[in-house]
Amino acid sequence: MYNIKILQLITGLDVGGAEKVVFDLSRSLKDLGHEVFVIGISDKDNLKYLFEEENINVSILNVLKTFSSFLRGCKELFVFIKEKDIRIIHVHMAHALIMALMVKIFRPKLKIVFTSHNFNIGSKTRELIVNFSKHFRDADIIFSASMWKNIYKKNAYVIPNGIDVSKYETNVKKNEIFTFLCIGRIEPVKNHKFLVDIAVRLEKEFDFEIHIVGEGFLKQELIDYIVEKNVKSKFKLLGYRKDINIICNRSHVFILPSLWEGLPISLLEAAASGIPVISTAVGSIPELIDENSGYLTDLDFLYDKMKLTYYNYNEALKKAGLLKRKIKEKYSLTFVVDEHIRVYKKLLNI
């Protein structure tokens, strides 16, 4: 087998779905004998230790929001790529793409693979950059066919996110109180405050708790809103956790009220754990879940779906079983890694 030398370049190594994807991909590539380097551009390094524990070559550029810092980061990246003789970069998210393109000006033979990780790039400016630069990229990876739009290359590869499904086969006792679980950064797009409004209505119906896993700059605002709405007893904010597989299996239902998404790892983790999933119909999620395997909904009907899963839990578990089977068949980490390797090898002509 020909060993690939590849750099995974990402905006930062904060806690999030894209960062988990990069970690799982990097670890798997390393385990298969490939030479993997990981660079985070910003000063976000909360997940750096995970890469270090797996002896993956990881570094942080600590690029700040100034032009001089950006230029310094570009220079360091260029030197790193030259010294390591790297021929292919897999770029994750738009900020990393900009820096990779700057380097390619001086190393035109460098191959660039781009994954945006989201249906919504974040701003019109970013969309313009991604659209303009598609002719300078060598491959784009999207999570589903419906994710494609004109900013991506016409021949973009469709490769979904994947997880190690075996990790989620655990035998743990369910929480005594019916638990709705939400996993994600506490930021506007994840829409956590909407769950507080629902809790106000739902507490009149039955006993439950909503557990939120994640950190983010809106955490204190969320806590204040929970207190303001007098539903503190209904929420547990668990912060960042390593034992997601255990938390999922102890919960009864997974809920995702996001305003937009790509293909969230947290949803795959919940589905692999065999718990029912309620989600807004955003991003690539409708290609994963249908009426037979889960509950897709508009925000206006999220309250009704939460009631439905509680009062018809056996039916919800049947749907969850079908979704779990689909995850095992089509979203396993092994399949996803193999597909990435196929793209890398094609670009390198090996």
Side-chain angles (χ1 to χ4, degrees):
M1 179 185 74
Y2 185 95
N3 290 339
I4 299 169
K5 183 187 291 186
I6 185 164
L7 169 63
Q8 303 288 338
L9 183 68
I10 187 167
T11 300
L13 293 179
D14 207 354
V15 178
E19 293 79 3
K20 279 189 176 181
V21 169
V22 172
F23 172 70
D24 285 337
L25 179 59
S26 300
R27 180 178 57 182
S28 298
L29 288 169
K30 178 178 176 293
D31 289 345
L32 290 170
H34 302 291
E35 192 172 359
V36 184
F37 303 92
V38 177
I39 291 181
I41 292 175
S42 73
D43 59 351
K44 304 291 186 182
D45 64 354
N46 290 325
L47 291 186
K48 184 184 177 187
Y49 76 96
L50 288 179
F51 295 85
E52 292 172 336
E53 288 178 352
E54 297 292 331
N55 294 316
I56 296 170
N57 190 313
V58 60
S59 55
I60 304 293
L61 294 180
N62 288 305
V63 172
L64 305 177
K65 295 181 179 180
T66 64
F67 186 64
S68 61
S69 184
F70 172 75
L71 290 180
R72 188 262 306 162
C74 288
K75 181 179 179 181
E76 290 183 14
L77 181 61
F78 173 81
V79 171
F80 184 91
I81 289 171
K82 184 178 180 180
E83 288 181 349
K84 300 296 183 182
D85 190 28
I86 293 170
R87 297 168 54 203
I88 184 168
I89 309 180
H90 190 162
V91 179
H92 304 267
M93 299 189 288
H95 287 96
L97 175 62
I98 297 170
M99 188 166 285
L101 292 169
M102 291 293 291
V103 172
K104 186 161 184 172
I105 293 174
F106 301 98
R107 291 186 72 86
K109 292 183 179 180
L110 185 67
K111 303 296 184 181
I112 294 180
V113 181
F114 175 60
T115 303
S116 68
H117 289 277
N118 214 316
F119 263 65
N120 190 320
I121 295 293
S123 70
K124 289 293 183 182
T125 301
R126 291 180 195 172
E127 284 204 356
L128 286 172
I129 292 170
V130 173
N131 186 34
F132 170 77
S133 67
K134 65 185 175 185
H135 302 295
F136 301 95
R137 302 193 301 269
D138 299 278
D140 286 344
I141 293 176
I142 55 179
F143 298 143
S144 64
S146 65
M147 186 175 176
W148 189 89
K149 48 187 173 181
N150 196 45
I151 63 174
Y152 297 115
K153 297 179 76 67
K154 288 184 178 180
N155 59 345
Y157 295 91
V158 177
I159 306 176
N161 282 337
I163 59 172
D164 181 358
V165 294
S166 64
K167 286 175 54 179
Y168 302 89
E169 295 285 356
T170 61
N171 186 20
V172 296
K173 186 178 179 181
K174 290 288 185 184
N175 295 329
E176 291 186 7
I177 298 177
F178 196 89
T179 304
F180 293 100
L181 174 65
C182 182
I183 303 173
R185 300 183 312 278
I186 305 179
E187 297 179 0
V189 63
K190 301 299 183 180
N191 203 23
H192 290 95
K193 286 179 71 174
F194 191 79
L195 296 178
V196 181
D197 295 327
I198 286 182
V200 173
R201 301 169 60 192
L202 208 59
E203 68 173 345
K204 301 171 185 177
E205 296 286 341
F206 55 85
D207 194 18
F208 68 92
E209 287 182 350
I210 297 176
H211 293 185
I212 296 177
V213 175
E215 296 285 349
F217 69 91
L218 290 181
K219 184 174 182 179
Q220 189 56 52
E221 182 178 315
L222 178 62
I223 292 172
D224 293 342
Y225 194 60
I226 289 170
V227 173
E228 177 188 332
K229 293 296 184 178
N230 198 30
V231 286
K232 188 176 179 181
S233 64
K234 296 299 177 186
F235 281 87
K236 287 185 178 178
L237 273 60
L238 305 180
Y240 169 65
R241 298 289 291 265
K242 299 180 184 179
D243 56 341
I244 296 298
N245 57 333
I246 302 298
I247 292 174
C248 284
N249 276 276
R250 285 179 174 163
S251 302
H252 294 83
V253 175
F254 178 80
I255 47 175
L256 192 72
S258 296
L259 301 178
W260 65 79
E261 286 283 355
L263 181 59
I265 291 292
S266 60
L267 190 151
L268 299 181
E269 292 172 325
S273 301
I275 62 174
V277 171
I278 304 172
S279 174
T280 45
V282 295
S284 296
I285 296 172
E287 294 189 32
L288 172 62
I289 298 174
D290 58 27
E291 62 182 12
N292 296 313
S293 59
Y295 302 87
L296 290 179
T297 181
D298 295 331
L299 288 172
D300 290 343
F301 299 100
L302 186 60
Y303 163 78
D304 298 310
K305 297 298 184 183
M306 291 171 73
K307 280 178 59 178
L308 182 63
T309 55
Y310 177 82
Y311 288 116
N312 299 275
Y313 194 61
N314 286 336
E315 179 64 26
L317 286 175
K318 291 179 183 178
K319 293 176 183 284
L322 292 175
L323 184 58
K324 182 176 181 178
R325 189 182 311 159
K326 186 174 184 179
I327 297 298
K328 286 184 175 181
E329 293 173 354
K330 298 184 178 181
Y331 296 85
S332 72
L333 184 59
T334 300
F335 168 78
V336 169
V337 171
D338 286 345
E339 289 297 290
H340 277 85
I341 291 173
R342 183 172 66 85
V343 174
Y344 300 155
K345 285 186 173 182
K346 184 175 182 180
L347 294 180
L348 294 171
N349 294 316
I350 57 176

